[in-house]
Amino acid sequence: MPLERVSQGFRDISASFKINPLNDDLVPLKNEQAIARSIRNIVFTIPGEKPFQPDFGSNISSLLFESIDEVTAVNIKDEIRESIEIYEPRVILRDVAVFPDYDNNNFEATIVYEIVGIDAPPQSLEFVLQPTR
C-alpha cells in the first residue's frame, strides 16, 4: 500500500500586504487560509491576466453576462470545477454548487473541498458572482 505524503503545511503571502509589527515582515496566510485564497484567485483570474501563464484562471467573468438561469449556473459550475482541478493540486473537490439569484442578478457559489496532506476537516468557500463593468 503506497504511503500518503503528509505536508508540513502551506504558506502564502496575504494580498493585503499587511506588515507584522513584531518583525516588519509580511503577514503570511497559512494552511486553510492559503488554500482558500488560492482557490479564490483561480476563480476570479481571467485567462491571459497572469503574466507567462496565459491559460491560468477561469472564464466565469464572460459567463456572468449571460442570462441568469440554470443553464448558465451549470456552465459556471463546470468552469469552476475544471479550473480548480487543473490549477490547484493541493485540494480534492467534493462539491461545487452554483445557484442563480434572480432577484439580485447574480449567482451564489459554494465550493467544498478537502486539503491534501494535512489533517483538516472539509473546507467550504462561498461567494457571490456578479457581473461588473
Side-chain angles (χ1 to χ4, degrees), residues 4 6-7 9-10 30-33 35-36 90-92 94 112-124:
E4 183 177 324
V6 178
S7 174
F10 304 108
K30 297 178 184 175
N31 296 331
E32 293 91 346
Q33 292 176 334
I35 300 290
R90 301 176 292 179
V91 301
I92 298 171
R94 293 297 175 212
V112 179
Y113 57 92
E114 291 181 16
I115 302 173
V116 175
I118 65 171
D119 187 27
Q123 303 293 306
S124 180

Side-chain angles (χ1 to χ4, degrees), residues 51-80:
F52 306 108
Q53 290 188 346
D55 297 330
F56 181 86
S58 72
N59 288 313
I60 64 163
S61 61
S62 62
L63 294 170
L64 295 177
F65 290 97
E66 300 292 328
S67 300
I68 305 293
D69 58 12
E70 294 295 328
V71 173
T72 306
V74 169
N75 290 337
I76 291 172
K77 174 184 171 180
D78 292 342
E79 184 66 28
I80 290 172

Side-chain angles (χ1 to χ4, degrees), residues 76-78 80-81 84 93-98 109-112:
I76 291 172
K77 174 184 171 180
D78 292 342
I80 290 172
R81 179 177 290 284
I84 292 172
L93 278 177
R94 293 297 175 212
D95 187 36
V96 177
V98 178
T110 303
I111 302 170
V112 179

